Amino acid sequence: MNLIDRVAVVTGSGQGLGLAYAKDLARHGAAVVINDVNQATADAAVAEITAAGGRAVAVVAPVGNTETARKLVAGAVDAFGRLDIMVTNAGILRDKVLWKMTDDDFDAVVGVHLRGTFTCVREAVLRFREQGDGGRIICIGSPAGQRGNFGQTNYSGAKSGIVGMVRTWAMELQRAGITANAVCPVAATAMTETVPFLAPYIDGMKNGEPLPAIIRREVGMGTPDDAAGIISFLASDAAAEITGQAFAVGGDRLALWSHPELTAVEYSDGGWSAEDIAARWTDAFGDSLESVGEEFPEELMAK
């Protein structure tokens, strides 16, 4: 896991999961560009990393537009001479049910998560190709993008789109030795403490209580630090042949999300009329419908 002489940009890394990723990359030797919209938050993150013997600088700017993406890449090159790793973590929430979600709610979330991932990855890849010795793209997705989540049309759509882009980039960038992977973490952060059944466990954790095994294993949720190791692994030479994958990580659990596959297939000579579908629906597809939303242990949901 030696990342000495590697340089990483981690968007949205002033606190929470992004800071955990940046600190772990620095612990393994990488120089890190910290990004946040708040100068004091970014400076504090840089100070924490440098105090531990790491190397870090801050670029304060909102992720989404091309100008910020270029500032981030330039910040890495100006401070450390190159760029090797782009981790797109920056995100916001504007949760509302569909009929109450405004255009601004939708555009703000998609702009940071989806467009911000696209612009930052594009600028990083331009630099990687110029350097000519590969690179690592690590994009942060979410279980909400894999299975949906109530009140998160914008967030689920953006996170699903990120995984779709990663699979495309894995094909486009393979010849250049650039890997692209997605990580879908679950951790106790400001984003998850709003989930009602998780809130008591997160409050307890803040008071020094350990998370129970049912949370760390079956729910797959832990601290931000629990989700950081996969980032450093994917940034390392050990993961040089891993690309186009979506990982689930949190607590004690590490897993791979499957690519979408056809789960039930039937054929009708001459094609399918509405009447044909109705006549054969129950026998052909009735037992094959997919569930929606995350599925949690019943004992947690009953509390």
Side-chain angles (χ1 to χ4, degrees):
M1 298 302 105
N2 186 348
L3 300 178
I4 294 173
D5 299 327
R6 307 285 176 88
V7 180
V9 167
V10 184
T11 68
S13 50
Q15 57 188 339
L17 280 163
L19 178 57
Y21 302 154
K23 288 164 59 178
D24 204 68
L25 288 165
R27 184 171 69 85
H28 287 92
V32 182
V33 175
I34 295 292
N35 163 249
D36 200 272
V37 295
N38 183 280
Q39 185 73 58
T41 301
D43 289 344
V46 168
E48 184 174 356
I49 290 172
T50 55
R55 298 171 293 156
V57 297
V59 172
V60 177
V63 166
N65 59 60
T66 296
E67 180 182 1
T68 292
R70 289 174 177 166
K71 284 181 179 178
L72 291 167
V73 173
V77 175
D78 292 346
F80 305 114
R82 61 183 292 112
L83 177 65
D84 304 280
I85 305 152
M86 172 62 75
V87 182
T88 58
N89 168 77
I92 60 172
L93 291 178
R94 297 289 187 274
D95 291 358
K96 290 179 185 174
V97 291
L98 173 61
W99 56 94
K100 293 183 179 180
M101 185 171 290
T102 67
D103 289 359
D104 288 344
D105 294 329
F106 184 86
D107 290 345
V109 170
V110 171
V112 175
H113 287 276
L114 192 62
R115 182 182 174 88
T117 296
F118 162 69
T119 56
C120 288
V121 170
R122 181 182 60 188
E123 296 306 312
V125 166
L126 288 170
R127 180 65 192 182
F128 293 164
R129 288 170 61 85
E130 181 181 336
Q131 291 172 174
D133 50 8
R136 298 286 186 270
I137 300 297
I138 305 167
C139 300
I140 305 306
S142 169
Q146 302 295 96
R147 297 185 60 89
N149 196 32
F150 189 94
Q152 291 193 320
T153 293
N154 44 13
Y155 182 76
S156 297
K159 289 303 193 183
S160 177
I162 286 170
V163 175
M165 292 194 300
V166 160
R167 289 175 178 146
T168 296
W169 295 335
M171 293 185 285
E172 294 179 344
L173 302 174
Q174 189 168 17
R175 181 173 293 183
I178 302 168
T179 65
N181 291 287
V183 174
C184 301
V186 179
T189 67
M191 285 191 175
T192 52
E193 66 185 5
T194 59
V195 180
F197 83 88
L198 291 177
Y201 298 101
I202 296 175
D203 289 341
M205 190 184 72
K206 290 178 180 178
N207 295 325
E209 300 173 15
L211 290 170
I214 193 170
I215 296 293
R216 291 189 59 85
R217 287 179 172 265
E218 294 191 48
V219 175
M221 187 188 81
T223 68
D225 288 344
D226 291 325
I230 186 65
I231 304 299
S232 295
F233 168 73
L234 290 173
S236 74
D237 289 341
E241 304 302 319
I242 301 172
T243 193
Q245 304 305 306
F247 293 83
V249 65
D252 297 329
R253 187 176 72 184
L254 177 65
L256 276 171
W257 284 100
S258 67
H259 289 7
E261 299 286 349
L262 301 176
T263 57
V265 179
E266 292 289 326
Y267 299 94
S268 176
D269 293 340
W272 288 89
S273 68
E275 291 78 10
D276 292 334
I277 296 170
R280 294 174 58 183
W281 176 261
T282 299
D283 290 340
F285 300 104
D287 295 330
S288 302
L289 297 181
E290 295 290 325
S291 62
V292 295
E294 280 258 65
E295 297 180 346
F296 298 108
E298 290 184 7
E299 57 264 47
L300 289 177
M301 302 307 293
K303 291 185 179 181

